[in-house]
Amino acid sequence: MSRNKQSDEKESSADNVDEYLQTLGNDDAREIRYYSQEQPFSSEDMTRLINEERLNKLLAQSDDFLSSLNGEIKDFDE
């Protein structure tokens, strides 16, 4: 193992948390950190990544849930 790899492994999650907390008070550093984590996706990437069948099932489930909830709220009001 090289010396650099060993020093990288010694950086703990506590070090990462400490670095993050230090940026909280600095709006510019926080903004840079936030935008540096963004990854642009093309429409082709999104099409490849999204399981359209599963998405449609989830949307149908959420519609059913909201309809049911709406019915319960109406019953509660009466």
Side-chain angles (χ1 to χ4, degrees):
M1 219 183 269
S2 71
R3 183 175 272 276
N4 287 343
K5 190 168 186 174
Q6 285 177 342
S7 66
D8 289 345
E9 289 176 352
K10 288 182 181 179
E11 186 174 314
S12 69
S13 59
D15 294 329
N16 292 327
V17 169
D18 183 52
E19 178 185 338
Y20 176 75
L21 290 174
Q22 288 177 15
T23 64
L24 286 179
N26 183 337
D27 291 338
D28 292 334
R30 185 172 56 231
E31 188 172 332
I32 290 169
R33 184 179 188 89
Y34 175 79
Y35 287 113
S36 70
Q37 295 173 7
E38 284 188 357
Q39 297 179 8
F41 288 99
S42 69
S43 58
E44 292 84 19
D45 291 335
M46 294 304 287
T47 302
R48 184 175 47 84
L49 293 172
I50 293 175
N51 180 338
E52 190 173 344
E53 182 180 342
R54 179 69 177 135
L55 178 60
N56 288 331
K57 285 180 184 177
L58 289 171
L59 289 172
Q61 286 176 352
S62 67
D63 288 344
D64 291 344
F65 171 75
L66 291 174
S67 294
S68 171
L69 186 61
N70 193 25
E72 291 295 323
I73 290 172
K74 285 180 181 176
D75 290 344
F76 181 77
D77 287 341
E78 295 172 357

CSV table of all heavy atoms in Angstrom, one decimal, residues 17-68:
chain,number,residue,atom,x,y,z
A,17,VAL,N,-17.4,15.1,8.4
A,17,VAL,CA,-18.4,15.9,9.1
A,17,VAL,C,-17.9,17.2,9.6
A,17,VAL,O,-18.5,18.3,9.4
A,17,VAL,CB,-19.0,15.1,10.3
A,17,VAL,CG1,-19.9,16.0,11.2
A,17,VAL,CG2,-19.8,13.9,9.8
A,18,ASP,N,-16.7,17.2,10.2
A,18,ASP,CA,-16.1,18.4,10.6
A,18,ASP,C,-15.9,19.4,9.5
A,18,ASP,O,-16.2,20.6,9.6
A,18,ASP,CB,-14.7,18.1,11.3
A,18,ASP,CG,-14.1,19.4,11.9
A,18,ASP,OD1,-14.7,20.1,12.6
A,18,ASP,OD2,-12.9,19.6,11.5
A,19,GLU,N,-15.4,18.9,8.3
A,19,GLU,CA,-15.2,19.8,7.2
A,19,GLU,C,-16.6,20.4,6.7
A,19,GLU,O,-16.7,21.6,6.4
A,19,GLU,CB,-14.6,19.0,6.0
A,19,GLU,CG,-14.4,19.8,4.8
A,19,GLU,CD,-13.9,18.9,3.6
A,19,GLU,OE1,-13.3,17.8,3.9
A,19,GLU,OE2,-14.1,19.3,2.5
A,20,TYR,N,-17.6,19.5,6.7
A,20,TYR,CA,-18.9,20.0,6.3
A,20,TYR,C,-19.5,21.1,7.3
A,20,TYR,O,-20.0,22.1,6.9
A,20,TYR,CB,-19.9,18.8,6.2
A,20,TYR,CG,-21.3,19.2,5.9
A,20,TYR,CD1,-21.6,19.6,4.6
A,20,TYR,CD2,-22.3,19.3,6.9
A,20,TYR,CE1,-22.9,20.0,4.3
A,20,TYR,CE2,-23.6,19.7,6.6
A,20,TYR,CZ,-23.9,20.1,5.3
A,20,TYR,OH,-25.2,20.5,5.0
A,21,LEU,N,-19.3,20.8,8.6
A,21,LEU,CA,-19.8,21.8,9.6
A,21,LEU,C,-19.1,23.1,9.5
A,21,LEU,O,-19.7,24.2,9.7
A,21,LEU,CB,-19.6,21.2,11.0
A,21,LEU,CG,-20.6,20.0,11.3
A,21,LEU,CD1,-20.2,19.5,12.7
A,21,LEU,CD2,-22.0,20.5,11.2
A,22,GLN,N,-17.8,23.1,9.1
A,22,GLN,CA,-17.1,24.3,8.9
A,22,GLN,C,-17.6,25.1,7.8
A,22,GLN,O,-17.6,26.4,7.8
A,22,GLN,CB,-15.6,24.1,8.8
A,22,GLN,CG,-14.9,23.6,10.0
A,22,GLN,CD,-13.5,23.2,9.8
A,22,GLN,OE1,-12.9,23.6,8.8
A,22,GLN,NE2,-12.9,22.5,10.8
A,23,THR,N,-18.2,24.5,6.7
A,23,THR,CA,-18.7,25.2,5.6
A,23,THR,C,-20.1,25.7,5.9
A,23,THR,O,-20.6,26.6,5.1
A,23,THR,CB,-18.8,24.3,4.3
A,23,THR,OG1,-19.7,23.2,4.6
A,23,THR,CG2,-17.4,23.8,4.0
A,24,LEU,N,-20.8,25.2,6.9
A,24,LEU,CA,-22.1,25.7,7.2
A,24,LEU,C,-22.2,27.2,7.4
A,24,LEU,O,-23.2,27.8,7.0
A,24,LEU,CB,-22.8,24.9,8.3
A,24,LEU,CG,-23.2,23.5,8.0
A,24,LEU,CD1,-23.7,22.8,9.3
A,24,LEU,CD2,-24.2,23.4,6.9
A,25,GLY,N,-21.3,27.7,8.1
A,25,GLY,CA,-21.3,29.1,8.4
A,25,GLY,C,-20.8,30.0,7.3
A,25,GLY,O,-21.0,31.2,7.3
A,26,ASN,N,-20.3,29.4,6.2
A,26,ASN,CA,-19.8,30.1,5.1
A,26,ASN,C,-20.7,29.9,3.9
A,26,ASN,O,-20.6,28.8,3.3
A,26,ASN,CB,-18.4,29.7,4.8
A,26,ASN,CG,-17.7,30.4,3.7
A,26,ASN,OD1,-18.4,31.0,2.8
A,26,ASN,ND2,-16.4,30.4,3.7
A,27,ASP,N,-21.6,30.9,3.6
A,27,ASP,CA,-22.5,30.7,2.5
A,27,ASP,C,-21.9,30.4,1.2
A,27,ASP,O,-22.4,29.5,0.4
A,27,ASP,CB,-23.4,31.9,2.4
A,27,ASP,CG,-24.4,32.1,3.5
A,27,ASP,OD1,-24.6,31.1,4.2
A,27,ASP,OD2,-24.8,33.2,3.8
A,28,ASP,N,-20.8,31.0,0.8
A,28,ASP,CA,-20.1,30.8,-0.4
A,28,ASP,C,-19.6,29.4,-0.5
A,28,ASP,O,-19.7,28.7,-1.5
A,28,ASP,CB,-18.9,31.8,-0.6
A,28,ASP,CG,-19.4,33.2,-0.8
A,28,ASP,OD1,-20.6,33.4,-1.3
A,28,ASP,OD2,-18.7,34.1,-0.5
A,29,ALA,N,-18.9,28.9,0.6
A,29,ALA,CA,-18.4,27.5,0.6
A,29,ALA,C,-19.5,26.5,0.5
A,29,ALA,O,-19.4,25.5,-0.2
A,29,ALA,CB,-17.6,27.3,1.8
A,30,ARG,N,-20.6,26.8,1.2
A,30,ARG,CA,-21.8,25.9,1.2
A,30,ARG,C,-22.3,25.8,-0.2
A,30,ARG,O,-22.6,24.7,-0.7
A,30,ARG,CB,-22.8,26.3,2.2
A,30,ARG,CG,-24.0,25.3,2.3
A,30,ARG,CD,-24.9,25.7,3.4
A,30,ARG,NE,-25.5,27.0,3.3
A,30,ARG,CZ,-25.4,27.9,4.2
A,30,ARG,NH1,-24.9,27.7,5.4
A,30,ARG,NH2,-26.0,29.1,4.0
A,31,GLU,N,-22.4,26.9,-0.9
A,31,GLU,CA,-23.0,26.9,-2.3
A,31,GLU,C,-22.1,26.2,-3.2
A,31,GLU,O,-22.5,25.4,-4.1
A,31,GLU,CB,-23.2,28.4,-2.8
A,31,GLU,CG,-23.9,28.5,-4.1
A,31,GLU,CD,-24.3,29.9,-4.4
A,31,GLU,OE1,-24.4,30.7,-3.5
A,31,GLU,OE2,-24.4,30.2,-5.6
A,32,ILE,N,-20.8,26.4,-3.1
A,32,ILE,CA,-19.8,25.7,-4.0
A,32,ILE,C,-19.9,24.2,-3.7
A,32,ILE,O,-19.9,23.4,-4.7
A,32,ILE,CB,-18.4,26.2,-3.7
A,32,ILE,CG1,-18.2,27.7,-4.3
A,32,ILE,CG2,-17.3,25.3,-4.3
A,32,ILE,CD1,-17.0,28.4,-3.8
A,33,ARG,N,-20.0,23.8,-2.5
A,33,ARG,CA,-20.0,22.4,-2.1
A,33,ARG,C,-21.3,21.8,-2.7
A,33,ARG,O,-21.3,20.7,-3.2
A,33,ARG,CB,-20.0,22.2,-0.6
A,33,ARG,CG,-20.0,20.8,-0.2
A,33,ARG,CD,-19.9,20.7,1.4
A,33,ARG,NE,-19.7,19.4,1.8
A,33,ARG,CZ,-18.5,18.8,2.0
A,33,ARG,NH1,-17.4,19.5,1.7
A,33,ARG,NH2,-18.4,17.6,2.4
A,34,TYR,N,-22.4,22.5,-2.6
A,34,TYR,CA,-23.7,22.0,-3.1
A,34,TYR,C,-23.7,21.8,-4.6
A,34,TYR,O,-24.0,20.7,-5.1
A,34,TYR,CB,-24.8,23.0,-2.7
A,34,TYR,CG,-26.2,22.6,-3.3
A,34,TYR,CD1,-26.9,21.6,-2.7
A,34,TYR,CD2,-26.6,23.2,-4.4
A,34,TYR,CE1,-28.2,21.3,-3.3
A,34,TYR,CE2,-27.9,22.9,-5.0
A,34,TYR,CZ,-28.6,21.9,-4.4
A,34,TYR,OH,-29.8,21.6,-4.9
A,35,TYR,N,-23.2,22.8,-5.3
A,35,TYR,CA,-23.2,22.7,-6.8
A,35,TYR,C,-22.1,21.8,-7.3
A,35,TYR,O,-22.3,21.3,-8.4
A,35,TYR,CB,-23.1,24.1,-7.4
A,35,TYR,CG,-24.4,24.9,-7.3
A,35,TYR,CD1,-24.4,26.0,-6.5
A,35,TYR,CD2,-25.5,24.5,-7.9
A,35,TYR,CE1,-25.6,26.7,-6.3
A,35,TYR,CE2,-26.7,25.2,-7.8
A,35,TYR,CZ,-26.7,26.3,-7.0
A,35,TYR,OH,-27.9,27.0,-6.9
A,36,SER,N,-21.1,21.6,-6.6
A,36,SER,CA,-20.1,20.6,-7.0
A,36,SER,C,-20.6,19.2,-7.0
A,36,SER,O,-20.0,18.3,-7.6
A,36,SER,CB,-18.8,20.8,-6.1
A,36,SER,OG,-19.0,20.3,-4.9
A,37,GLN,N,-21.6,18.9,-6.2
A,37,GLN,CA,-22.2,17.6,-6.2
A,37,GLN,C,-23.2,17.3,-7.2
A,37,GLN,O,-23.7,16.2,-7.4
A,37,GLN,CB,-22.8,17.4,-4.8
A,37,GLN,CG,-21.8,17.4,-3.7
A,37,GLN,CD,-22.4,17.3,-2.3
A,37,GLN,OE1,-23.6,17.1,-2.1
A,37,GLN,NE2,-21.6,17.5,-1.3
A,38,GLU,N,-23.6,18.4,-8.0
A,38,GLU,CA,-24.6,18.2,-9.0
A,38,GLU,C,-24.0,17.5,-10.2
A,38,GLU,O,-22.8,17.7,-10.6
A,38,GLU,CB,-25.2,19.5,-9.5
A,38,GLU,CG,-26.1,20.1,-8.6
A,38,GLU,CD,-26.8,21.4,-9.2
A,38,GLU,OE1,-26.4,21.8,-10.3
A,38,GLU,OE2,-27.7,21.9,-8.5
A,39,GLN,N,-24.8,16.6,-10.8
A,39,GLN,CA,-24.3,15.9,-12.0
A,39,GLN,C,-25.4,16.1,-13.1
A,39,GLN,O,-26.6,15.7,-12.9
A,39,GLN,CB,-24.2,14.4,-11.7
A,39,GLN,CG,-23.1,14.1,-10.7
A,39,GLN,CD,-23.0,12.6,-10.5
A,39,GLN,OE1,-23.6,11.8,-11.2
A,39,GLN,NE2,-22.2,12.3,-9.5
A,40,PRO,N,-25.1,16.7,-14.2
A,40,PRO,CA,-26.0,16.9,-15.2
A,40,PRO,C,-26.4,15.6,-15.9
A,40,PRO,O,-25.6,14.7,-16.1
A,40,PRO,CB,-25.3,17.8,-16.2
A,40,PRO,CG,-23.9,17.6,-16.0
A,40,PRO,CD,-23.7,17.2,-14.6
A,41,PHE,N,-27.7,15.4,-16.2
A,41,PHE,CA,-28.2,14.2,-16.9
A,41,PHE,C,-28.8,14.6,-18.2
A,41,PHE,O,-29.6,15.6,-18.2
A,41,PHE,CB,-29.2,13.4,-16.0
A,41,PHE,CG,-28.6,12.7,-14.9
A,41,PHE,CD1,-28.7,13.3,-13.6
A,41,PHE,CD2,-28.0,11.5,-15.0
A,41,PHE,CE1,-28.2,12.7,-12.5
A,41,PHE,CE2,-27.4,10.9,-13.9
A,41,PHE,CZ,-27.5,11.4,-12.7
A,42,SER,N,-28.5,14.0,-19.2
A,42,SER,CA,-29.2,14.2,-20.5
A,42,SER,C,-30.5,13.5,-20.5
A,42,SER,O,-30.7,12.6,-19.7
A,42,SER,CB,-28.3,13.8,-21.7
A,42,SER,OG,-28.2,12.4,-21.7
A,43,SER,N,-31.4,13.8,-21.4
A,43,SER,CA,-32.6,13.1,-21.5
A,43,SER,C,-32.4,11.6,-21.8
A,43,SER,O,-33.2,10.8,-21.4
A,43,SER,CB,-33.5,13.7,-22.6
A,43,SER,OG,-32.9,13.7,-23.8
A,44,GLU,N,-31.3,11.3,-22.6
A,44,GLU,CA,-31.0,9.9,-22.9
A,44,GLU,C,-30.6,9.1,-21.6
A,44,GLU,O,-31.0,8.0,-21.4
A,44,GLU,CB,-29.9,9.8,-23.9
A,44,GLU,CG,-30.3,10.3,-25.3
A,44,GLU,CD,-30.1,11.8,-25.5
A,44,GLU,OE1,-29.4,12.4,-24.7
A,44,GLU,OE2,-30.8,12.3,-26.4
A,45,ASP,N,-29.8,9.8,-20.8
A,45,ASP,CA,-29.4,9.2,-19.5
A,45,ASP,C,-30.7,8.9,-18.6
A,45,ASP,O,-30.8,7.9,-18.0
A,45,ASP,CB,-28.5,10.1,-18.7
A,45,ASP,CG,-27.1,10.3,-19.3
A,45,ASP,OD1,-26.7,9.3,-20.1
A,45,ASP,OD2,-26.5,11.3,-19.1
A,46,MET,N,-31.6,9.9,-18.5
A,46,MET,CA,-32.8,9.7,-17.7
A,46,MET,C,-33.6,8.6,-18.3
A,46,MET,O,-34.2,7.8,-17.5
A,46,MET,CB,-33.6,11.0,-17.7
A,46,MET,CG,-32.8,12.1,-16.9
A,46,MET,SD,-32.3,11.7,-15.2
A,46,MET,CE,-33.9,11.8,-14.4
A,47,THR,N,-33.8,8.5,-19.6
A,47,THR,CA,-34.6,7.5,-20.2
A,47,THR,C,-34.0,6.1,-19.9
A,47,THR,O,-34.7,5.2,-19.6
A,47,THR,CB,-34.7,7.7,-21.7
A,47,THR,OG1,-35.2,9.0,-22.0
A,47,THR,CG2,-35.5,6.6,-22.4
A,48,ARG,N,-32.7,6.0,-19.9
A,48,ARG,CA,-32.0,4.8,-19.6
A,48,ARG,C,-32.1,4.4,-18.1
A,48,ARG,O,-32.2,3.2,-17.8
A,48,ARG,CB,-30.5,4.9,-20.0
A,48,ARG,CG,-29.7,3.6,-19.9
A,48,ARG,CD,-28.3,3.8,-20.4
A,48,ARG,NE,-27.6,5.0,-19.9
A,48,ARG,CZ,-27.0,5.2,-18.8
A,48,ARG,NH1,-26.9,4.2,-17.9
A,48,ARG,NH2,-26.4,6.3,-18.5
A,49,LEU,N,-32.1,5.4,-17.2
A,49,LEU,CA,-32.1,5.1,-15.8
A,49,LEU,C,-33.5,4.8,-15.2
A,49,LEU,O,-33.6,4.1,-14.2
A,49,LEU,CB,-31.5,6.3,-15.1
A,49,LEU,CG,-30.0,6.5,-15.3
A,49,LEU,CD1,-29.6,7.8,-14.7
A,49,LEU,CD2,-29.2,5.4,-14.8
A,50,ILE,N,-34.5,5.4,-15.8
A,50,ILE,CA,-35.9,5.3,-15.2
A,50,ILE,C,-36.6,4.1,-15.7
A,50,ILE,O,-36.6,3.8,-16.9
A,50,ILE,CB,-36.7,6.6,-15.6
A,50,ILE,CG1,-36.1,7.8,-14.9
A,50,ILE,CG2,-38.2,6.4,-15.2
A,50,ILE,CD1,-36.8,9.1,-15.2
A,51,ASN,N,-37.1,3.3,-14.8
A,51,ASN,CA,-37.9,2.1,-15.1
A,51,ASN,C,-39.3,2.6,-15.2
A,51,ASN,O,-40.0,2.9,-14.2
A,51,ASN,CB,-37.8,1.1,-14.0
A,51,ASN,CG,-38.6,-0.1,-14.2
A,51,ASN,OD1,-39.6,-0.1,-15.0
A,51,ASN,ND2,-38.2,-1.2,-13.6
A,52,GLU,N,-39.8,2.9,-16.5
A,52,GLU,CA,-41.1,3.5,-16.7
A,52,GLU,C,-42.2,2.7,-16.2
A,52,GLU,O,-43.2,3.2,-15.6
A,52,GLU,CB,-41.2,3.8,-18.2
A,52,GLU,CG,-42.4,4.6,-18.5
A,52,GLU,CD,-42.5,5.0,-20.0
A,52,GLU,OE1,-41.5,4.8,-20.7
A,52,GLU,OE2,-43.6,5.4,-20.4
A,53,GLU,N,-42.1,1.4,-16.3
A,53,GLU,CA,-43.2,0.5,-15.8
A,53,GLU,C,-43.4,0.7,-14.3
A,53,GLU,O,-44.5,0.8,-13.7
A,53,GLU,CB,-43.0,-0.9,-16.2
A,53,GLU,CG,-44.0,-1.9,-15.7
A,53,GLU,CD,-43.7,-3.3,-16.1
A,53,GLU,OE1,-42.9,-3.6,-17.0
A,53,GLU,OE2,-44.3,-4.2,-15.5
A,54,ARG,N,-42.2,0.6,-13.6
A,54,ARG,CA,-42.3,0.8,-12.1
A,54,ARG,C,-42.7,2.2,-11.7
A,54,ARG,O,-43.5,2.3,-10.8
A,54,ARG,CB,-40.9,0.5,-11.5
A,54,ARG,CG,-40.7,0.7,-10.1
A,54,ARG,CD,-41.5,-0.4,-9.3
A,54,ARG,NE,-41.3,-0.3,-7.9
A,54,ARG,CZ,-42.3,-0.4,-7.0
A,54,ARG,NH1,-43.5,-0.6,-7.4
A,54,ARG,NH2,-42.0,-0.2,-5.7
A,55,LEU,N,-42.3,3.2,-12.4
A,55,LEU,CA,-42.7,4.6,-12.1
A,55,LEU,C,-44.2,4.7,-12.3
A,55,LEU,O,-44.9,5.3,-11.4
A,55,LEU,CB,-42.0,5.5,-13.1
A,55,LEU,CG,-42.4,7.0,-12.9
A,55,LEU,CD1,-42.1,7.5,-11.5
A,55,LEU,CD2,-41.7,7.8,-14.0
A,56,ASN,N,-44.8,4.1,-13.4
A,56,ASN,CA,-46.2,4.2,-13.6
A,56,ASN,C,-47.0,3.5,-12.5
A,56,ASN,O,-48.1,3.9,-12.0
A,56,ASN,CB,-46.6,3.6,-14.9
A,56,ASN,CG,-46.2,4.6,-16.1
A,56,ASN,OD1,-46.1,5.8,-15.9
A,56,ASN,ND2,-45.9,4.0,-17.2
A,57,LYS,N,-46.5,2.3,-12.0
A,57,LYS,CA,-47.1,1.6,-10.9
A,57,LYS,C,-47.1,2.5,-9.6
A,57,LYS,O,-48.1,2.6,-8.9
A,57,LYS,CB,-46.4,0.3,-10.6
A,57,LYS,CG,-46.7,-0.8,-11.6
A,57,LYS,CD,-46.0,-2.1,-11.3
A,57,LYS,CE,-46.2,-3.1,-12.3
A,57,LYS,NZ,-45.4,-4.3,-12.1
A,58,LEU,N,-46.0,3.1,-9.3
A,58,LEU,CA,-45.8,4.0,-8.1
A,58,LEU,C,-46.8,5.2,-8.2
A,58,LEU,O,-47.4,5.6,-7.2
A,58,LEU,CB,-44.4,4.5,-8.0
A,58,LEU,CG,-43.4,3.4,-7.5
A,58,LEU,CD1,-42.0,3.9,-7.6
A,58,LEU,CD2,-43.7,2.9,-6.1
A,59,LEU,N,-46.9,5.8,-9.4
A,59,LEU,CA,-47.8,6.9,-9.6
A,59,LEU,C,-49.3,6.5,-9.4
A,59,LEU,O,-50.0,7.2,-8.8
A,59,LEU,CB,-47.6,7.5,-11.0
A,59,LEU,CG,-46.3,8.3,-11.2
A,59,LEU,CD1,-46.2,8.7,-12.7
A,59,LEU,CD2,-46.3,9.5,-10.3
A,60,ALA,N,-49.6,5.3,-9.9
A,60,ALA,CA,-51.0,4.8,-9.7
A,60,ALA,C,-51.2,4.5,-8.2
A,60,ALA,O,-52.3,4.8,-7.7
A,60,ALA,CB,-51.2,3.5,-10.5
A,61,GLN,N,-50.3,4.0,-7.5
A,61,GLN,CA,-50.4,3.7,-6.1
A,61,GLN,C,-50.6,5.0,-5.3
A,61,GLN,O,-51.4,5.1,-4.4
A,61,GLN,CB,-49.2,3.0,-5.5
A,61,GLN,CG,-49.1,1.5,-5.9
A,61,GLN,CD,-47.9,0.9,-5.4
A,61,GLN,OE1,-47.0,1.5,-4.8
A,61,GLN,NE2,-47.8,-0.4,-5.5
A,62,SER,N,-49.8,6.1,-5.7
A,62,SER,CA,-50.0,7.3,-5.0
A,62,SER,C,-51.3,8.0,-5.3
A,62,SER,O,-51.9,8.6,-4.4
A,62,SER,CB,-48.8,8.3,-5.4
A,62,SER,OG,-48.9,8.7,-6.7
A,63,ASP,N,-51.8,7.8,-6.5
A,63,ASP,CA,-53.1,8.4,-6.9
A,63,ASP,C,-54.2,7.7,-6.1
A,63,ASP,O,-55.1,8.3,-5.6
A,63,ASP,CB,-53.4,8.2,-8.4
A,63,ASP,CG,-52.6,9.1,-9.3
A,63,ASP,OD1,-52.1,10.1,-8.7
A,63,ASP,OD2,-52.5,8.9,-10.5
A,64,ASP,N,-54.1,6.3,-6.0
A,64,ASP,CA,-55.1,5.6,-5.2
A,64,ASP,C,-55.0,6.0,-3.7
A,64,ASP,O,-56.1,6.2,-3.1
A,64,ASP,CB,-54.8,4.1,-5.2
A,64,ASP,CG,-55.1,3.5,-6.6
A,64,ASP,OD1,-55.8,4.2,-7.4
A,64,ASP,OD2,-54.6,2.4,-6.9
A,65,PHE,N,-53.8,6.2,-3.2
A,65,PHE,CA,-53.7,6.6,-1.8
A,65,PHE,C,-54.3,8.0,-1.6
A,65,PHE,O,-55.0,8.2,-0.6
A,65,PHE,CB,-52.2,6.6,-1.4
A,65,PHE,CG,-52.0,7.2,0.0
A,65,PHE,CD1,-52.3,6.6,1.1
A,65,PHE,CD2,-51.4,8.5,0.1
A,65,PHE,CE1,-52.1,7.1,2.4
A,65,PHE,CE2,-51.2,9.1,1.3
A,65,PHE,CZ,-51.6,8.4,2.5
A,66,LEU,N,-54.0,8.9,-2.5
A,66,LEU,CA,-54.5,10.3,-2.3
A,66,LEU,C,-56.1,10.3,-2.4
A,66,LEU,O,-56.7,11.0,-1.7
A,66,LEU,CB,-53.9,11.2,-3.3
A,66,LEU,CG,-52.4,11.5,-3.1
A,66,LEU,CD1,-51.9,12.3,-4.2
A,66,LEU,CD2,-52.2,12.2,-1.8
A,67,SER,N,-56.6,9.5,-3.3
A,67,SER,CA,-58.1,9.4,-3.5
A,67,SER,C,-58.7,8.8,-2.2
A,67,SER,O,-59.7,9.3,-1.7
A,67,SER,CB,-58.4,8.5,-4.6
A,67,SER,OG,-58.0,9.1,-5.8
A,68,SER,N,-58.1,7.8,-1.6
A,68,SER,CA,-58.6,7.2,-0.4
A,68,SER,C,-58.5,8.2,0.7
A,68,SER,O,-59.4,8.4,1.5
A,68,SER,CB,-57.7,6.0,-0.1
A,68,SER,OG,-58.0,5.5,1.2
